[in-house]
Amino acid sequence: MLANTRGFLWSDVETRALLDIWGEQDVQTALDGNFRNSHVYRDVACRLGEMGFERTPEQCRIRVKSLKRQYYQAKEGTKKNGQYHKICKFYDEMERILSNRPHIDPQDMIDSAAIGDETMDGTEEEGEGIDHPLEAHMESTGECSYAEHPVKLEYPSFPIPVTVGNSTAPRQNNIQSTSGLSAGRPKRSKKRYTNLSLDKLMERFLEQSMEAEENFYKYEEQRLRLEERRREAEHSRELHMLQVLGQMFAGIGGSAAPPAAAHPPQTGPPMPPMYPPTHSHPHTAEQPNHSLASNPLHPLVIERSFSLGGTVQRSMDILPLVRNIVPPLTSKKHKGQDGRIGIIGGCQEYTGAPYFAAITALKVGADLSHVFCTKDAATVIKSYSPELIVHPVLDSPNALEEVDKWLPRLHSIVVGPGLGRDDKLLKNAKDIIEKSKTQDIPIIIDADGLWLIARQPSIIQGYQKGILTPNFMEFSRLYEAVHHEPLDSRDNQRSVAQLSSALGNLTVVLKGEEDIITDGNKVMVCSQEGSGRRCGGQGDLLSGSLGVLAHWALASTADSTKGVNPSLVAAFGACALTRQCNRQAFHKHGRATTTSDMIQEISSAFKTLYES
């Protein structure tokens, strides 16, 4: 999926969601006395993303800092004017959060604004010394102080006459020449703030601060747009180079065709092996697939083999393999034969995610879709659609026993959509994963299920029918939890392959501008055209469709996938379908596209990709 490049302008809904998360006791405790707080704001940004607001940790930190500054300014002004707090739109929310913090004199904040903040560097590096009360409060919360715009006092310049001896003529000439020059120049407007009241000074000061902040956001948004255009141009050049290399390899393969004629002729369509042979003839070449150029719906898949001997790259068409695993619709089938999918997730705060995943599974082709959620979320989810089978058992004391009764009937489970991070729910989800592994059920883990895996990687490690679908933030957390070192984002394909290998070669799907899919041995890149619209719920559409395709792929014969890992084929099919739905919905609705619009496109998108 294409990367989000939204600007820094915050809506009221986003701001209140940020304050709800930032004001939680555990977040405030993590910020107190901690100079390095990037991990706290990464968590805040991640939780915002789960609510449908895509923000970076730096954007969250800057917004919180701005709100705190406006709050202290308004609180100081309230001493002079009881209505002054109305300048700060979120005064009541900030008062609720900061009322329990150590007392800060707002006048100190104003003094620091006139002096200038010497500690604004945009990072959370070590403090150099805290002398100012407000700076001490900022550092105690792990945040950097914010540079203010000082109030400038400008005074008119006066010529100073100089008397030399008893002669005053030079002085008079000097004064006359000075006045002549002054008359010839336009007079500047002189700002005299010295006679203004404190309220007026504060009002002017706030106006200047807000204007400067808005200008900063506008310039930053322009910079991000230029950066996005640069990345798109670079990506286009890379694709062009890959096409040139493909043509070169095709020419080499054509010239090396005679030695390959000694092998027995193939009866079916040529299909290059996914896994490189250990002892291959140096002149053996693969026949190029010329249908890629004639069909624009066939995306280019770049595969990379990571081994001690080096990296092997080749291209092939994966969509026909996805078509092979799609079961035909016949009148001889009975209900449930084409898939019974279970969604583990759904709590009071998050009811949309499990619905999106479950209804997507039905529309892709599953016969039955079950949702195992908490009791307070069941009625809401059931009201979305009568097609779903909803079980309000996820927060019950015997949740595992309730779910275990249904596991033998399910073909795959999707863990994570709308799960939340309550310890009780996470424990029940862990028990359900462990129980599903004993019954050899395919497990797709997304959203808060990945939060659980980052805390305990051993839960899914080594399970070959497990599939993880992280976005970049979730992938970074998983990589650092498994490898105990920061992620090197310069080569995401290699990093994803390393994570898959470390987890026992289970399938990992890194969602992004291009979806990277790997089982540790092979890396596929799905670059099916989508759109620039990124709204909450698209990941749930992917996980729901992947639950169905994983069942179909693992239930199909080896000939259907031509020896390719079935989980890779299923993951590629789900990524391509999600992107096609996004593209079609965006063509109809543009910027107003939502996940509900994408779900309405599943039928035509599936037919375009896999039934045409």
Side-chain angles (χ1 to χ4, degrees), residues 526-538:
C526 180
S527 56
Q528 180 82 13
E529 183 180 357
S531 77
R533 175 63 170 146
R534 290 287 293 120
C535 53
Q538 296 187 44

Side-chain angles (χ1 to χ4, degrees), residues 413-479:
I413 63 171
V414 180
V415 181
L419 179 63
R421 298 182 180 178
D422 182 77
D423 290 338
K424 181 180 179 181
L425 298 182
L426 291 177
K427 180 182 181 302
N428 290 338
K430 173 187 175 182
D431 295 340
I432 293 171
I433 293 174
E434 295 287 358
K435 193 69 175 179
S436 301
K437 288 165 56 180
T438 62
Q439 301 189 28
D440 202 34
I441 299 175
I443 305 173
I444 291 83
I445 302 181
D446 186 36
D448 288 324
L450 296 171
W451 171 270
L452 172 64
I453 299 301
R455 296 171 62 181
Q456 303 179 56
S458 59
I459 297 175
I460 198 67
Q461 188 171 19
Y463 187 60
Q464 297 299 309
K465 292 187 178 181
I467 304 176
L468 309 184
T469 60
N471 56 29
F472 185 78
M473 183 69 68
E474 295 163 341
F475 173 72
S476 301
R477 189 186 300 120
L478 281 170
Y479 187 92

Side-chain angles (χ1 to χ4, degrees), residues 1-20:
M1 293 100 186
L2 298 182
N4 180 24
T5 59
R6 293 175 57 195
F8 282 91
L9 298 181
W10 289 69
S11 66
D12 291 351
V13 176
E14 284 181 291
T15 302
R16 287 192 171 88
L18 172 66
L19 289 177
D20 289 342

Side-chain angles (χ1 to χ4, degrees), residues 42-56:
R42 280 199 302 267
D43 183 51
V44 171
C46 181
R47 294 175 63 181
L48 273 178
E50 295 165 358
M51 299 174 68
F53 306 120
E54 296 295 333
R55 292 289 178 179
T56 65

Side-chain angles (χ1 to χ4, degrees), residues 462-464 466 497 499-508 518-521 565:
Y463 187 60
Q464 297 299 309
L499 176 63
S500 175
S501 299
L503 291 175
N505 293 98
L506 54 80
T507 302
V508 179
T518 181
D519 60 356
N521 297 316
N565 185 343

Side-chain angles (χ1 to χ4, degrees), residues 429-612:
K430 173 187 175 182
D431 295 340
I432 293 171
I433 293 174
E434 295 287 358
K435 193 69 175 179
S436 301
K437 288 165 56 180
T438 62
Q439 301 189 28
D440 202 34
I441 299 175
I443 305 173
I444 291 83
I445 302 181
D446 186 36
D448 288 324
L450 296 171
W451 171 270
L452 172 64
I453 299 301
R455 296 171 62 181
Q456 303 179 56
S458 59
I459 297 175
I460 198 67
Q461 188 171 19
Y463 187 60
Q464 297 299 309
K465 292 187 178 181
I467 304 176
L468 309 184
T469 60
N471 56 29
F472 185 78
M473 183 69 68
E474 295 163 341
F475 173 72
S476 301
R477 189 186 300 120
L478 281 170
Y479 187 92
E480 293 174 5
V482 173
H483 292 279
H484 306 290
E485 64 181 13
L487 171 67
D488 182 5
S489 59
R490 291 175 297 181
D491 190 348
N492 286 335
Q493 295 185 16
R494 182 173 293 275
S495 298
V496 178
Q498 291 173 347
L499 176 63
S500 175
S501 299
L503 291 175
N505 293 98
L506 54 80
T507 302
V508 179
V509 180
L510 174 57
K511 299 176 289 190
E513 184 176 6
E514 293 180 330
D515 297 332
I516 303 175
I517 309 161
T518 181
D519 60 356
N521 297 316
K522 297 297 170 186
V523 176
M524 298 181 181
V525 178
C526 180
S527 56
Q528 180 82 13
E529 183 180 357
S531 77
R533 175 63 170 146
R534 290 287 293 120
C535 53
Q538 296 187 44
D540 305 313
L541 192 153
L542 172 64
S543 61
S545 59
L546 183 51
V548 182
L549 291 173
H551 162 56
W552 290 350
L554 293 169
S556 62
T557 63
D559 292 338
S560 299
T561 59
K562 305 297 183 182
V564 182
N565 185 343
S567 295
L568 288 179
V569 176
F572 184 89
C575 291
L577 178 63
T578 303
R579 288 170 169 270
Q580 183 70 15
C581 291
N582 182 271
R583 176 188 179 187
Q584 294 181 189
F586 186 80
H587 181 72
K588 294 181 179 179
H589 304 281
R591 188 176 293 273
T593 301
T594 63
T595 302
S596 298
D597 299 323
M598 293 175 56
I599 290 176
Q600 297 303 318
E601 300 297 325
I602 291 178
S603 175
S604 61
F606 192 93
K607 183 178 298 184
T608 299
L609 291 175
Y610 306 130
E611 293 180 344
S612 60

